[in-house]
Amino acid sequence: MLLCSTETHSLSYVETADIDGETNLKYRQALGATHDELTSEPSECRLASFDGVVFCEEPNDGMYAFRGQLHWRGERFLLDNEHLLLRGTVLRNTQIAYGLVIYTGADTKILRNCGKLRAKRTRLESSLNRAVIGIVVFLLLVVLLLAIACGVFASRVMIRTEVLSALVINGDPVYTGFLVYWSYFILLGPAVPIMLYVTFELIHTFHSKFINWDLEMYWPQTDCPAQARNTSLCEELGQVEYLLSDKTGTLTQNRLLFRQCCIAGEIYGDASVRAEDTEPMDLTWNPFSRGGLFMWAPTLVERLRAQRCPTISRFFTALTVCHTVMAQWKEDVPVYQAASPDEGALVGAARELGWVFLSRSRDVMVVSEMGVTRHYKLLALLDFTSQRRRMSVLVRDPEGSLKLYCKGADIVILERLQRDCPHQESTEQALELFSQACLRTLCIAVRSVSETSWEQWSKTLARAAAMATFDRNALLEKLYDEMEQDLQLLGVTAIEDRLQEDVPETISLLKQAGIKVWVLTGDKKETAVNIGYACKLLDPDTRLLEWQELRQILQSPDPVVHFLKIKQTDLWAVEKEKAGVQTAVVLTGPELTEFDQRPEWGVKFMNLAQQCHTVLCCRVTPGQKADVVTLVRKHTSSITLSIGDGANDVNMIKTAHVGVGLTGVEGGQAVQNADFSLSSFRFLQRLLLVHGRWSYRRISLFLRYFLFKTCSFALVHLWFSIFNGFSAQSMYETWFIAFYTAFYTSSQILFVAFFEKDVSAENSLKWPELYKCGQRQELSGPLVLFASLVYALYASFVLFFVPCGVYYNSAVDYQTMAVTVSMAAVFTANIEMVLLTRNWTKFNIGAVCVSLLLYFICSRITHSKFLFQRAPADYLFYGASDEAFTDPVVWLTALLTAWTAVLPSMTFLALSVIQNIHGKHKVHSRSQQPVELRSQFGRKTSLCRSSFVVAQGPV
Amino acid sequence: MVKDENESANRPDNTAFTQQRLPAWQPMLSAGIVIPGFVLIGLAFIGIGVALFITSRSIQVLELDYTGMEQDSPCFRCSNADLRDCVCSIRFSINSLFEGPVFFYYGLSNYFQNYRRYGVSRDDNQLYGDLTYFKKPFDQCEPYRYDSNNQPIVPCGSVANSMFNDTFTLFQNVNDQQVVVPLDGKGIAWWTDYNIKFRNPSITPLRNAFNGTAKPLFWSRPAYELDPSDPANNGFINQDFLVWMRTAALPDFRKLYRRITEGNYANGLPAGNYTLEIAYNYPVLSFNGRKKVVFSNVSWMGGKNEFLGIAYLVIGSLCVVMSVVMLIVYAKFKFPEED
């Protein structure tokens, strides 16, 4: 709690960027009582004897609310949010602030908002785990059945077979079965892909490295490459369906530029030129000029210097006087500390054009107008609130006349103009023009106030100020309203909120890829909506669904039906199907808290949100950002990705499936907690559409192949057991079992997992629709995994029964058959590999060839005379491959077996190739239409303009 | 310059590998490749299948079951397990020349030579002629490791113990006279088995090597007296023993017994009546097993094997059928407006 500070009135200025993402300055004021008492003498002594008691609410995560009481010297003072300096805020322009600590450590508001750290596991990994558990359960069951069968065989057949009866252990079939249970456990064990987990990590690491290595995601300005901080989430990037983005610093650069203005109906400046390309104007005549004005308006400069037009002069006087900016002097130039970045931009622009705000004291503002220093006496400041959407100052100018300068949102100002105000029509046209260019506009107006009315008004004001809180606000409101009447319109300013590079393009691309982009911001609703329009998240046609309406929909029994009904009656919903896409939900923090009370709304809301274009959440605390993420996670099975750059995004980044941190200006907190760090929002397209997609594809292929090869290989024993009395006889040589996973089938799938790409990076970006395959889990869904297991079962069936059919009732011995089946298994695994691979690098080709070669070489080695003579009992298969490899029947059988085993996958591939011809055509024809990035604001502008023409002032 | 380098110290390397731009071949599959591919492969399979089938058809096979289960079987008498040294004979006739060289197999069915504990019940070191294992056979040989007198069994284990011991003599009946058809028992085992895998201990005479050992329980003669007619065909390198020791893959199998390559029968068995005299020793009835003899000639693909040819034909036709289906699907996708 702030007790006092060295500034006047014990004000303290704080920057809350880490909490809500706003970089402007806000002020906090100490209680009058503590200020008066504690600053009168050297504060240290006074503070030491301070003995107030604070009663306050339990620690909570509400960032914008606080209720408490200070009991001191028998009096009670109400405390609210304005008296608090929160942990995480940065003190600015204040030398020393003394305070009382209320919450510490984990009880502080920021830590309450921090959320818990949890280990992230990818969806694929969990479905893999489920598949593996399924395999294990299946195997246990099968092994049990086999053991029982073995016992039965022992008691029914073996006992009666002279040559085998002695082999029933201790003459007890049950015990034999029990031992065989363990033998089968070992024999079928390879079907459980334990190696997969190790390889999985290796592949993840490589994919992360590829992200780190990507030059296209390297930001030369800050020498910052993209970084995968969590190496195990790569494939998740290929399945993202919800992108939850922070605004400030993520979508916008948080740099506001004064681009255009309209004074007395005349427009200066041209916003169609990019800010960087604007020709700099010659401002050398102005000693205060420091550059940074991106406007080309020589006529304005000319007229300013001539000082003939009073409207222009008054317009700029309004800019320099009507604000809450603080000036600091550095090297003979004023540096402005603005509570709102808009104001900073306006005052800065005025300075460049010769109207320089020099300094302010409590009631005097010093301004230099084209070199002439003038003092304005500040009589009253009618401050900005989000309801009023305007601010005014009442000043006495050096000539002695009273003037009210007012700036605010256009509809607010326009309705307060005097009748028959000149230039109103032309200014409205200018407003339209500016809003089409996505500029933030403010109307500037002035009013001359008579002495008598001022005196009367100020008396009422003084009386009102003394009143109790609640009534006072209403009364002040009324008073202010009285004063801000009969305004005379001066002009309009247009400010550009600079977006990060390529943000609209990126968002449009991601939207085409089927990703729903939601914006979660601590900013005001108006700002958020404005940015939504600027970055093409919202179309001009988009219908904003606000709380009142949303509430009605949510309360109705069937929200979706109700929603559709509303849309049908909707004026803007031209087509029925289009209507859903064209709706955006706008929510604010306090409204979100209602969701906590009504959990049943969550489902309804998500159903609704899935129909909508986007969702904007404004004024949300970091905790609420995370709550929104949780909401999405809870009610959909989709993958969420959060992107943010500030400490206020940390919670959301940690909560989402994938967290992306931007290495920006707001410190490293977000990056520290993120899974991936990027330098610019636009790299997201490459991260998701290229790396994510590839990674998803590679890992899915890897997974399916791995399950296939291990299961088809091991389950052969299942079939063989029927023919060997369930005796756990192996179908393969021991050495082959060891080498199969290590040499014959490992390297090629690894290279596929590294290098596979079905579509090049350029084409992935060109056809964002391809991304949807990951969202629908086309390559890795439970059904797909199950299908590949069934396929593996089929392959194992073929691997055994084709050779079995060929060799039944023939003179072929066990070893030859073992070699045939193992040869067929290696062929099957490699043909399947060939079918999977689309991108044949030299490594892939090499791996397949080497694997096949290795099989023959290793077989020859383990079946060699040399090794046999060293250890006859370990190299039993000596001679088997000599015979088998020269026998045409073995080759023909192995080929037939392998071909039959891969036939389903071959057919599937062929059919998909045939169908794809059609699909590719579709993608082609669709992508030929150029992506519409510059949206047309011509239609219906008047309907929606009000929502994004907004003043931003101090909070 | 130094500053420049510092500024881009984190710049990733621009190599084909790091940028994932490794030169690669991306085969563009299209219906134009896939469908003809399927047809070609299908036709190739059908071709192989036809060749295999025809070859298989040309192979003559004669199977004679002599288990003696049925009352009217000449070996019914011998199928009684208590009877020792029982001899029965089967008469059969060949209508046309059975082309040579004729292979003479004995076949067993429902006989699990691939039972795991049976298959490992042998001592390869012992069979390799290692005398240390004569004294202390491999423990996998249990329960055929030591006999009741605690003497080590050589050759130990189930496989050797259960060696097939029926013997056959083939006669051609010419004008009421029985002419012995010479049977060639040489080289019926694998070369590697005969020359390397199985070795007799280098002690002469061979029987000395077996001093202090016992013969397998079921054997009537010790290993060094397996073939009294040919002293070189004794011990572990006895051809019949080698054939038996190469265990079968599946419970129904046949094993080569002799070849008919000599004398008048080098070109095959001429048409006529034959008598097969069987020394019936091996009991199979207890486990519902069957015994048979098989005469067969061979081709490049070995013995008669219709399954392989038919399987090739089936899979090949399946491919062709599949390609037709694909063609229909393709037409459907290519010209959707015509539907």
Side-chain angles (χ1 to χ4, degrees):
Chain A
M1 189 191 96
L2 182 63
L3 288 177
C4 62
S5 75
T6 48
E7 305 299 304
T8 49
H9 301 290
S10 282
L11 285 172
S12 300
Y13 296 91
V14 289
E15 204 181 271
T16 57
D18 278 353
I19 289 178
D20 56 12
E22 292 181 46
T23 48
N24 56 19
L25 286 184
K26 299 186 178 76
Y27 65 84
R28 297 282 180 263
Q29 195 171 13
L31 281 172
T34 55
H35 168 72
D36 293 342
E37 284 298 320
L38 298 176
T39 48
S40 51
E41 279 173 53
S43 338
E44 282 79 5
C45 327
R46 283 282 179 174
L47 281 167
S49 58
F50 178 74
D51 56 354
V53 179
V54 173
F55 292 89
C56 63
E57 55 192 359
E58 296 270 298
N60 59 34
D61 58 359
M63 282 277 183
Y64 303 108
F66 174 72
R67 280 182 304 150
Q69 275 187 338
L70 172 66
H71 292 208
W72 190 38
R73 293 183 181 173
E75 281 183 79
R76 291 175 176 207
F77 305 95
L78 285 177
L79 297 173
D80 66 16
N81 201 27
E82 293 294 298
H83 303 111
L84 285 190
L85 296 174
L86 297 177
R87 176 170 165 184
T89 54
V90 182
L91 208 57
R92 298 267 183 219
N93 295 5
T94 312
Q95 276 194 324
I96 302 173
Y98 294 101
L100 189 73
V101 176
I102 296 181
Y103 301 125
T104 56
D107 289 341
T108 54
K109 303 236 172 201
I110 191 160
L111 284 183
R112 285 262 153 181
N113 266 299
C114 238
K116 288 192 197 81
L117 188 69
R118 62 187 104 187
K120 289 183 180 177
R121 228 166 10 126
T122 66
R123 185 159 70 172
L124 210 61
E125 232 174 300
S126 43
S127 52
L128 163 71
N129 286 345
R130 251 174 285 140
V132 169
I133 289 170
I135 294 174
V136 170
V137 170
F138 173 73
L139 281 188
L140 287 178
L141 216 77
V142 162
V143 167
L144 191 70
L145 285 177
L146 288 174
I148 292 170
C150 172
V152 171
F153 180 82
S155 64
R156 288 282 168 84
V157 180
M158 282 171 71
I159 296 290
R160 290 191 286 135
T161 308
E162 213 171 333
V163 292
L164 291 179
S165 59
L167 295 174
V168 177
I169 298 160
N170 303 337
D172 182 1
V174 179
Y175 185 61
T176 309
F178 174 74
L179 287 186
V180 159
Y181 178 83
W182 297 108
S183 304
Y184 267 118
F185 203 73
I186 294 164
L187 204 59
L188 293 177
V192 181
I194 298 300
M195 262 293 279
L196 193 144
Y197 286 96
V198 183
T199 327
F200 214 49
E201 288 308 307
L202 184 70
I203 292 167
H204 270 143
T205 312
F206 249 86
H207 287 184
S208 314
K209 284 280 173 217
F210 279 133
I211 290 174
N212 296 352
W213 284 332
D214 196 340
L215 264 181
E216 307 259 321
M217 294 204 293
Y218 168 74
W219 190 246
Q221 275 94 318
T222 53
D223 184 31
C224 204
Q227 207 191 348
R229 301 175 53 85
N230 186 341
T231 53
S232 61
L233 293 176
C234 299
E235 82 272 9
E236 207 92 314
L237 290 174
Q239 297 171 277
V240 173
E241 212 164 322
Y242 285 91
L243 172 70
L244 299 116
S245 170
D246 175 39
K247 184 192 74 73
T248 319
T250 306
L251 297 178
T252 62
Q253 294 176 344
N254 211 21
R255 246 178 84 207
L256 297 171
L257 300 178
F258 185 83
R259 294 301 309 280
Q260 274 185 314
C261 60
C262 164
I263 307 169
E266 205 167 327
I267 296 173
Y268 302 97
D270 183 5
S272 58
V273 191
R274 282 182 59 223
E276 287 78 16
D277 305 337
T278 319
E279 218 174 308
M281 287 190 290
D282 180 25
L283 296 172
T284 44
W285 48 268
N286 182 0
F288 293 107
S289 170
R290 289 174 71 239
L293 181 68
F294 296 98
M295 186 164 120
W296 172 245
T299 44
L300 179 65
V301 176
E302 220 168 83
R303 285 184 192 164
L304 269 174
R305 297 188 74 178
Q307 290 199 347
R308 272 201 298 273
C309 178
T311 319
I312 293 181
S313 309
R314 266 188 288 167
F315 179 82
F316 279 96
T317 310
L319 289 189
T320 44
V321 173
C322 180
H323 56 75
T324 55
V325 172
M326 314 284 290
Q328 268 185 336
W329 284 83
K330 269 185 199 154
E331 296 161 15
D332 296 336
V333 179
V335 176
Y336 299 129
Q337 289 288 344
S340 131
D342 295 61
E343 289 197 324
L346 290 178
V347 178
R351 181 195 61 206
E352 294 301 309
L353 294 169
W355 252 260
V356 189
F357 166 62
L358 295 177
S359 68
R360 79 154 74 218
S361 64
R362 198 182 152 133
D363 42 17
V364 176
M365 305 189 74
V366 187
V367 172
S368 157
E369 295 177 358
M370 302 309 283
V372 186
T373 310
R374 287 156 66 93
H375 293 259
Y376 287 88
K377 198 152 181 243
L378 186 63
L379 298 177
L381 195 144
L382 290 62
D383 57 0
F384 179 93
T385 66
S386 46
Q387 281 83 45
R388 281 162 39 79
R389 295 162 79 188
R390 61 186 183 270
M391 80 166 285
S392 312
V393 286
L394 190 64
V395 292
R396 190 184 292 281
D397 63 20
E399 286 77 35
S401 60
L402 285 170
K403 285 261 164 51
L404 178 88
Y405 291 104
C406 180
K407 69 174 181 193
D410 56 354
I411 41 166
V412 187
I413 300 291
L414 289 176
E415 68 189 14
R416 285 182 169 70
L417 292 183
Q418 54 182 218
R419 268 186 214 165
D420 306 324
C421 184
H423 315 306
Q424 188 168 353
E425 203 169 304
S426 52
T427 310
E428 275 182 40
Q429 278 169 7
L431 273 172
E432 196 137 319
L433 263 174
F434 293 160
S435 50
Q436 278 172 34
C438 281
L439 297 175
R440 230 188 260 190
T441 52
L442 279 178
C443 281
I444 312 287
V446 71
R447 178 196 174 190
S448 298
V449 182
S450 66
E451 286 291 340
T452 48
S453 66
W454 152 241
E455 267 168 37
Q456 205 181 354
W457 188 80
S458 64
K459 265 183 212 153
T460 340
L461 185 71
R463 236 190 2 255
M467 281 174 67
T469 350
F470 182 74
D471 300 334
R472 187 182 64 185
N473 283 347
L475 196 70
L476 280 180
E477 188 78 13
K478 210 177 131 214
L479 268 176
Y480 287 171
D481 210 39
E482 261 171 41
M483 182 52 79
E484 292 159 332
Q485 289 294 343
D486 287 333
L487 302 173
Q488 187 194 345
L489 186 64
L490 291 174
V492 179
T493 59
I495 291 171
E496 188 182 344
D497 192 356
R498 293 304 305 285
L499 293 175
Q500 298 259 8
E501 249 180 278
D502 287 342
V503 165
E505 288 84 348
T506 306
I507 286 184
S508 126
L509 202 68
L510 294 182
K511 265 160 61 179
Q512 282 181 57
I515 301 175
K516 289 211 161 69
V517 184
W518 290 18
V519 175
L520 310 178
T521 174
D523 260 352
K524 281 176 288 299
K525 187 156 111 189
E526 293 81 5
T527 326
V529 171
N530 193 0
I531 290 302
Y533 281 110
C535 59
K536 304 292 180 282
L537 194 60
L538 306 174
D539 286 338
D541 304 345
T542 307
R543 180 186 188 296
L544 297 182
L545 194 64
E546 296 198 25
W547 181 241
Q548 295 301 332
E549 227 170 332
L550 186 68
R551 203 193 161 95
Q552 278 176 15
I553 295 173
L554 290 179
Q555 277 168 344
S556 72
D558 194 346
V560 176
V561 171
H562 191 90
F563 175 59
L564 289 172
K565 218 184 284 168
I566 284 193
K567 277 188 311 197
Q568 274 168 8
T569 56
D570 208 326
L571 278 175
W572 299 313
V574 190
E575 294 160 58
K576 229 191 281 177
E577 325 76 79
K578 233 180 140 187
V581 186
Q582 294 291 9
T583 312
V585 176
V586 182
L587 280 178
T588 64
E591 292 155 9
L592 270 174
T593 51
E594 286 198 35
F595 278 95
D596 296 338
Q597 293 149 17
R598 294 164 187 254
E600 77 275 7
W601 280 9
V603 193
K604 294 182 175 180
F605 175 70
M606 277 315 299
N607 279 339
L608 193 69
Q610 273 165 353
Q611 306 252 327
C612 287
H613 194 73
T614 180
V615 173
L616 297 177
C617 297
C618 332
R619 274 266 156 255
V620 287
T621 60
Q624 281 177 327
K625 286 187 181 184
D627 289 344
V628 173
V629 179
T630 320
L631 190 76
V632 177
R633 281 188 73 147
K634 202 164 129 195
H635 297 296
T636 65
S637 56
S638 315
I639 301 290
T640 53
L641 180 144
S642 296
I643 180 166
D645 69 328
N648 58 331
D649 307 318
V650 168
N651 197 351
M652 145 174 118
I653 285 173
K654 285 198 290 194
T655 313
H657 290 98
V658 187
V660 178
L662 288 185
T663 41
V665 274
E666 283 194 44
Q669 286 234 45
V671 172
Q672 293 297 328
N673 288 289
D675 305 311
F676 297 91
S677 76
L678 297 177
S679 302
S680 170
F681 185 78
R682 73 191 163 102
F683 292 153
L684 207 56
Q685 20 173 309
R686 203 173 160 81
L687 186 69
L688 293 182
L689 299 189
V690 178
H691 286 283
R693 216 181 74 82
W694 279 351
S695 186
Y696 171 67
R697 190 184 161 76
R698 288 166 184 174
I699 286 179
S700 311
L701 289 182
F702 163 76
L703 215 110
R704 275 161 48 196
Y705 180 75
F706 215 99
L707 290 181
F708 170 75
K709 77 161 192 188
T710 51
C711 287
S712 63
F713 166 76
L715 291 181
V716 167
H717 294 122
L718 177 63
W719 313 115
F720 187 39
S721 63
I722 301 170
F723 290 88
N724 62 28
F726 309 97
S727 62
Q729 173 72 292
S730 165
M731 190 69 255
Y732 308 109
E733 187 199 357
T734 333
W735 290 104
F736 176 77
I737 293 177
F739 289 156
Y740 178 79
T741 27
F743 295 147
Y744 309 149
T745 56
S746 60
S747 60
Q748 57 269 65
I749 185 58
L750 216 55
F751 285 124
V752 163
F754 289 161
F755 303 122
E756 175 63 8
K757 41 183 165 184
D758 52 341
V759 179
S760 70
E762 292 74 26
N763 287 343
S764 303
L765 292 173
K766 215 155 129 197
W767 296 319
E769 289 85 356
L770 292 174
Y771 186 79
K772 288 177 182 163
C773 142
Q775 294 168 341
R776 292 195 292 260
Q777 288 192 286
E778 271 175 25
L779 299 173
S780 68
L783 263 179
V784 180
L785 288 186
F786 183 71
S788 52
L789 287 179
V790 170
Y791 175 40
L793 198 67
Y794 159 82
S796 69
F797 183 86
V798 169
L799 278 180
F800 176 73
F801 278 101
V802 172
C804 172
V806 173
Y807 294 150
Y808 207 76
N809 201 9
S810 76
V812 171
D813 66 304
Y814 162 71
Q815 292 189 346
T816 308
M817 176 152 172
V819 172
T820 315
V821 174
S822 53
M823 192 150 109
V826 171
F827 284 168
T828 307
N830 277 290
I831 297 176
E832 183 67 21
M833 187 80 267
V834 171
L835 294 181
L836 276 183
T837 314
R838 294 291 155 72
N839 193 49
W840 287 94
T841 65
K842 53 191 171 193
F843 294 102
N844 294 98
I845 299 170
V848 171
C849 298
V850 166
S851 294
L852 284 175
L853 225 85
L854 261 180
Y855 166 68
F856 290 108
I857 292 171
C858 287
S859 298
R860 298 292 302 170
I861 290 174
T862 53
H863 301 173
S864 73
K865 183 177 163 187
F866 178 81
L867 285 174
F868 171 78
Q869 285 176 335
R870 296 295 169 284
D874 292 339
Y875 300 95
L876 292 173
F877 271 60
Y878 166 61
S881 55
D882 291 336
E883 291 284 327
F885 290 163
T886 50
D887 186 350
V889 175
V890 169
W891 280 94
L892 286 172
T893 310
L895 277 178
L896 176 75
T897 310
W899 176 257
T900 315
V902 298
L903 199 59
S905 136
M906 192 82 112
T907 316
F908 184 77
L909 175 79
L911 281 175
S912 67
V913 162
I914 288 166
Q915 291 187 340
N916 251 349
I917 290 163
H918 186 58
K920 278 225 174 89
H921 273 303
K922 226 162 49 184
V923 174
H924 260 291
S925 57
R926 225 191 298 169
S927 65
Q928 272 161 8
Q929 302 163 353
V931 177
E932 186 68 37
L933 286 178
R934 295 275 156 226
S935 82
Q936 298 304 308
F937 271 69
R939 289 178 301 155
K940 297 158 196 159
T941 320
S942 53
L943 286 173
C944 65
R945 197 183 66 209
S946 59
S947 54
F948 59 95
V949 179
V950 170
Q952 195 185 28
V955 183
Chain B
M1 274 317 278
V2 177
K3 205 187 160 205
D4 272 3
E5 277 169 18
N6 282 340
E7 268 176 2
S8 53
N10 293 327
R11 187 185 176 84
D13 296 336
N14 188 7
T15 64
F17 176 68
T18 58
Q19 298 310 310
Q20 305 197 58
R21 292 191 182 283
L22 282 175
W25 173 59
Q26 289 186 307
M28 287 309 291
L29 289 174
S30 68
I33 297 171
V34 170
I35 297 174
F38 255 79
V39 174
L40 275 180
I41 292 171
L43 290 180
F45 269 56
I46 290 174
I48 297 174
V50 167
L52 283 172
F53 193 70
I54 291 172
T55 317
S56 184
R57 269 289 152 98
S58 68
I59 295 172
Q60 290 162 287
V61 173
L62 179 71
E63 274 193 25
L64 300 168
D65 190 314
Y66 70 95
T67 323
M69 288 246 280
E70 297 80 19
Q71 297 271 337
D72 56 341
S73 166
C75 290
F76 177 69
R77 187 178 54 86
C78 291
S79 64
N80 185 349
D82 299 332
L83 225 60
R84 295 252 155 219
D85 298 325
C86 178
V87 175
C88 62
S89 50
I90 294 178
R91 292 168 174 278
F92 63 96
S93 59
I94 294 172
N95 298 328
S96 60
L97 174 71
F98 202 101
E99 271 177 55
V102 177
F103 284 61
F104 180 3
Y105 302 89
Y106 61 90
L108 290 170
S109 60
N110 209 14
Y111 191 102
F112 289 85
Q113 248 204 331
N114 58 8
Y115 195 83
R116 195 183 67 85
R117 284 177 43 79
Y118 175 90
V120 297
S121 184
R122 56 193 276 167
D123 186 346
D124 283 281
N125 284 302
Q126 197 185 61
L127 298 170
Y128 187 57
D130 194 333
L131 281 170
T132 50
Y133 292 89
F134 275 54
K135 295 188 181 69
K136 193 174 177 295
F138 192 35
D139 49 9
Q140 290 275 22
C141 285
E142 288 292 358
Y144 303 108
R145 199 171 163 207
Y146 297 101
D147 71 353
S148 47
N149 302 325
N150 211 20
Q151 289 223 322
I153 297 173
V154 177
C156 75
S158 282
V159 191
N161 186 49
S162 60
M163 187 178 157
F164 188 74
N165 54 2
D166 284 1
T167 51
F168 308 95
T169 328
L170 184 63
F171 303 98
Q172 188 184 11
N173 304 337
V174 187
N175 306 329
D176 295 338
Q177 280 210 325
Q178 295 202 320
V179 180
V180 177
V181 178
L183 301 175
D184 177 12
K186 285 211 175 68
I188 54 172
W190 284 18
W191 186 90
T192 46
D193 286 352
Y194 182 71
N195 291 293
I196 289 142
K197 231 177 154 176
F198 292 77
R199 299 275 77 196
N200 281 329
S202 48
I203 292 178
T204 43
L206 187 57
R207 65 179 309 147
N208 289 352
F210 288 82
N211 283 341
T213 66
K215 66 177 172 54
L217 299 178
F218 291 7
W219 287 20
S220 53
R221 290 191 295 259
Y224 50 87
E225 286 173 0
L226 276 175
D227 187 357
S229 61
D230 182 2
N233 194 22
N234 273 314
F236 300 146
I237 55 167
N238 174 277
Q239 295 279 351
D240 290 326
F241 179 66
L242 291 177
V243 168
W244 182 257
M245 290 304 281
R246 188 149 279 281
T247 53
L250 297 162
D252 284 16
F253 61 90
R254 56 173 85 147
K255 281 176 184 290
L256 190 55
Y257 182 68
R258 294 287 182 267
R259 282 181 297 181
I260 302 169
T261 52
E262 290 166 18
N264 298 331
Y265 303 96
N267 294 326
L269 295 173
N273 292 322
Y274 292 84
T275 304
L276 182 69
E277 209 176 270
I278 303 150
Y280 196 108
N281 300 314
Y282 207 71
V284 292
L285 276 179
S286 62
F287 54 89
N288 291 330
R290 309 286 289 191
K291 295 196 285 189
K292 64 192 171 198
V293 287
V294 181
F295 297 96
S296 167
N297 46 24
V298 294
S299 66
W300 58 269
M301 57 173 284
K304 192 177 184 74
N305 199 336
E306 293 199 336
F307 180 89
L308 192 58
I310 293 170
Y312 262 95
L313 282 175
V314 167
I315 297 297
S317 333
L318 204 64
C319 285
V320 174
V321 169
M322 217 85 88
S323 59
V324 172
V325 172
M326 277 172 213
L327 205 65
I328 295 167
V329 173
Y330 174 68
K332 233 180 188 167
F333 273 98
K334 184 94 190 249
F335 315 106
E337 61 274 12
E338 285 175 16
D339 290 333

